[in-house]
Amino acid sequence: LTEHHLNTIEKTYVNIEGYSTGAQFCRVLYEKGGVIIYVHNSLQYTNIDLSEYCKEKDIEICAVKLIINSLNMFIIAIYRAPSGNFIFYNS
């Protein structure tokens, strides 16, 4: 889910039956925004820590690695607010 609007405390009250929080990013400085990946309890996954790349409004990102049989699959959730800075580098 992108733009879930929850802070870290509020997120703990949201439970989806049969799913676990695989990865998440919640805003601290601003309201709203944020990303979260819920993974079905029957699936094996690993959280990929991308917090060092997150900057509120500019890029909010989280990811998981799913292991299904012998297949590795990466799921990434990204949110970029319309009011964020879209310039990542100068050429």
Side-chain angles (χ1 to χ4, degrees), residues 2-3 5 20 32 34 45-46 53 58 62 66-67 71 73-75 79 90:
T2 61
E3 203 174 5
H5 292 209
S20 300
K32 304 181 180 175
Y45 71 92
T46 303
Y53 304 105
D58 294 348
C62 66
L66 294 178
I67 303 162
L71 179 66
M73 185 181 311
F74 296 87
I75 308 295
Y79 177 69
N90 292 323

Side-chain angles (χ1 to χ4, degrees), residues 30-91:
Y30 300 97
E31 293 181 327
K32 304 181 180 175
V35 290
I36 191 166
I37 298 173
Y38 288 102
V39 180
H40 193 270
N41 290 337
S42 66
L43 298 175
Q44 183 182 0
Y45 71 92
T46 303
N47 179 342
I48 300 171
D49 184 6
L50 298 175
S51 58
E52 69 180 284
Y53 304 105
C54 292
K55 184 174 178 190
E56 292 184 25
K57 292 189 178 183
D58 294 348
I59 185 164
E60 300 170 16
I61 185 170
C62 66
V64 295
K65 174 183 171 184
L66 294 178
I67 303 162
I68 303 172
N69 297 323
S70 61
L71 179 66
N72 293 325
M73 185 181 311
F74 296 87
I75 308 295
I76 302 170
I78 301 171
Y79 177 69
R80 299 189 68 198
S83 61
N85 181 1
F86 284 84
I87 299 172
F88 282 94
Y89 65 93
N90 292 323
S91 53

